[in-house]
Amino acid sequence: MDADGIGWHFSGMTPRPSIPVFTLFGETSAFPDVIHCERVLDRARLHDWVISAHRHRQMSQILQIEAGRAEARVDGRVMVLGPGDWLYIPAQAVHGFVFSQGAEGTVLSFLAPITAGMTPQMSPWLARPQTGRLSDRAAGLIEDMRATHASRGTFRTQRLVGLSHVLLATIAEDTLDGAGPAHPAERHMDALDALIARHLAAGWTARDYAAALHVTTGHLNRIVQAAKGCSLTAHLEAALMAEACRLIAFTRMPLAEIGFRLGFKDPSYFSRRFRRSFGEAPATYRQRIQDS
């Protein structure tokens, strides 16, 4: 229980593997679209206004509150959201919600290829939970996304992807305006993610990244563990697989060529690594994204 008596269905002592992995806002069914948009009211009331702690393997989300209140716990940090507030949740972050009865807003869910397709400069921002007040421009973009999601058309998916990139860049700029200097650990994470974006296909090891940042591998591993809740090796693997998702979903390159570009000389080994991360073969993933 929290100090004010709200039950969270969450324990910071629970090992990560025991935390359920959802594909949507409280659901375990297949992700139905390249981007998903739904109302808080429609989903939260089905769960008695409580979404228990969970994480998404390859999906990030934006929660926007229009009316009522939400208490969110993201990787152990508690945040209270009211009308006009938004929360960005990166993939793999453990999170849960308690909504006031009748709360309303929007939940936007983005598959990994959407965020992986943004510029490397966005990577540090996208890697961490973020929150803030919704600007008029960002609110208008969410309205446009809701309307586009409900529409039909030959280029609906392309419009949704474009709007997603503009929305994420807009709220990132809103949070960075006037931000103070970053903590040294945050600066190391920012520099690490920038290096990963530049050298993803070069076969760099954890030792290579540590050397480029002039720290020991153990120290860099501790920084990543504190920031991401996973090892440096796991963080590098996640970045590699996110890029694989982007190339598979948004290019027509043969799967073997994608694997080769990412440093895999053996296509079958690339397929096994991808399946280990996402539970399905690259060809199955591509077909599912195309079908949506």
Side-chain angles (χ1 to χ4, degrees):
M1 302 289 287
D2 290 292
D4 54 1
I6 296 176
W8 274 96
H9 302 275
F10 178 95
S11 171
M13 301 301 292
T14 303
R16 273 184 175 260
S18 68
I19 297 169
V21 176
F22 290 169
T23 52
L24 272 181
F25 192 38
E27 295 297 316
T28 55
S29 57
F31 194 93
D33 208 339
V34 67
I35 292 165
H36 188 70
C37 173
E38 66 181 323
R39 305 295 285 175
V40 167
L41 183 67
D42 294 338
R43 179 70 61 182
R45 63 183 173 183
L46 299 178
H47 297 272
D48 198 24
W49 306 101
V50 176
I51 305 295
S52 59
H54 63 284
R55 57 194 172 102
H56 305 290
R57 182 176 290 116
Q58 54 172 322
M59 184 180 76
S60 56
Q61 292 182 310
I62 291 175
L63 166 65
Q64 169 232 9
I65 297 296
E66 297 173 11
R69 181 171 172 267
E71 296 197 20
R73 186 185 290 265
V74 185
D75 284 343
R77 177 187 170 195
V78 178
M79 289 162 277
V80 178
L81 308 175
D85 292 333
W86 59 264
L87 171 66
Y88 167 77
I89 305 166
Q92 298 290 352
V94 179
H95 57 286
F97 304 103
V98 175
F99 295 96
S100 63
Q101 190 166 357
E104 183 58 300
T106 302
V107 179
L108 299 169
S109 302
F110 312 94
L111 280 177
I114 302 300
T115 52
M118 301 193 75
T119 62
Q121 289 87 347
M122 281 287 298
S123 297
W125 191 94
L126 292 166
R128 300 188 186 95
Q130 311 281 350
T131 188
R133 295 288 295 174
L134 202 66
S135 65
D136 290 342
R137 183 182 180 193
L141 287 167
I142 290 177
E143 288 289 343
D144 287 346
M145 290 192 69
R146 281 203 297 251
T148 303
H149 185 268
S151 70
R152 298 182 178 223
T154 304
F155 302 112
R156 171 182 174 275
T157 296
Q158 285 73 22
R159 288 158 55 206
L160 283 171
V161 171
L163 284 168
S164 297
H165 286 180
V166 176
L167 173 62
L168 288 165
T170 297
I171 62 175
E173 284 187 345
D174 291 343
T175 59
L176 293 175
D177 285 346
H183 186 275
E186 292 180 354
R187 290 199 297 270
H188 274 121
M189 279 302 304
D190 290 349
L192 172 62
D193 287 334
L195 284 172
I196 291 172
R198 289 200 299 269
H199 302 286
L200 193 62
W204 275 33
T205 65
R207 181 175 296 179
D208 294 323
Y209 286 106
L213 294 171
H214 307 291
V215 297
T216 66
T217 305
H219 182 58
L220 185 57
N221 187 68
R222 287 190 292 274
I223 290 173
V224 174
Q225 189 75 47
K228 303 296 294 181
C230 66
S231 67
L232 172 58
T233 300
H235 184 60
L236 297 176
E237 176 75 3
L240 189 67
M241 289 298 106
E243 179 65 6
C245 285
R246 187 185 73 82
L247 293 174
I248 292 168
F250 295 125
T251 76
R252 296 179 180 234
M253 281 192 293
L255 297 175
E257 182 180 344
I258 291 173
F260 183 77
R261 285 195 178 201
L262 295 177
F264 296 92
K265 296 180 180 179
D266 181 358
S268 61
Y269 180 56
F270 169 61
S271 182
R272 288 197 301 273
R273 286 271 290 273
F274 189 91
R275 184 189 291 273
R276 187 174 66 189
S277 294
F278 301 120
E280 60 185 344
T284 305
Y285 178 82
R286 171 172 274 175
Q287 189 61 54
R288 181 164 62 80
I289 296 298
Q290 289 176 348
D291 289 345
S292 71

